[in-house]
Amino acid sequence: MAELPSVTPIARQATCIAIGGRAVLITGAPGTGKSGLALMLIDRGAQLVGDDSAMLQARAGALYAAPHPQTRGLLEVRNLGLLPFPCADDVPVALSIHLDPAAPRFIETPEQVALLGVSLPHLRLWPEPVLLPRKVELALDRYGAQIG
């Protein structure tokens, strides 16, 4: 059953970062490195939107992400705890990434996922941390929805 468009923001369990004004939702099983990936991307110039929870809203055929009010500006850094980071607000979502040890080795086109009635490119990536930040940047450039 398809999700209906949302006027009111809803919470979605995902880590979310913004690169160049476009948001990437990062999902995966516990321990796959979602927060660690967000930290690595922040070190490369991305901005935190939300860690472990983001507020999503569909507007005018696009999906927008904002920080969850209870965790706004906080990123869990393993072994250090919850640390404060500047965060971006109301960012159009261009790509969904799922960290998956069973991700395919090659793809020809991204899968699609519908969130709140908005279709987004969706990729499954093997959660190998060394190259993962660069893979996310390449995926956003190559497959991410163009906004505006």
Side-chain angles (χ1 to χ4, degrees):
M1 186 157 139
E3 296 180 57
L4 297 175
S6 172
V7 174
T8 304
I10 64 157
R12 170 87 176 189
Q13 187 172 357
T15 294
C16 186
I17 53 90
I19 299 172
R22 296 189 297 165
V24 177
L25 290 175
I26 304 167
T27 60
T32 53
K34 299 175 294 293
S35 298
L37 173 58
L39 181 60
M40 288 185 277
L41 287 163
I42 289 167
D43 282 347
R44 296 172 65 91
Q47 282 190 286
L48 176 67
V49 176
D51 186 31
D52 283 335
S53 186
M55 301 302 292
L56 300 181
Q57 183 180 40
R59 294 193 318 262
L63 189 67
Y64 290 83
H68 192 288
Q70 294 179 347
T71 57
R72 179 184 190 84
L74 296 176
L75 177 69
E76 181 185 354
V77 178
R78 191 166 294 220
N79 306 121
L80 299 180
L82 293 172
L83 299 181
F85 283 84
C87 61
D89 228 326
D90 201 39
V91 183
V93 179
L95 183 65
S96 171
I97 297 285
H98 185 77
L99 300 182
D100 180 0
R105 184 169 178 169
F106 299 106
I107 66 164
E108 291 189 27
T109 60
E111 299 172 14
Q112 295 289 309
V113 64
L115 296 171
L116 302 176
V118 178
S119 182
L120 294 171
H122 177 76
L123 295 170
R124 293 181 291 137
L125 297 178
W126 184 59
E128 177 276 324
V130 175
L131 296 175
L132 200 50
R134 186 62 184 132
K135 287 180 184 179
V136 170
E137 293 167 342
L138 289 168
L140 182 60
D141 287 344
R142 182 173 181 126
Y143 301 116
Q146 296 304 313
I147 308 297

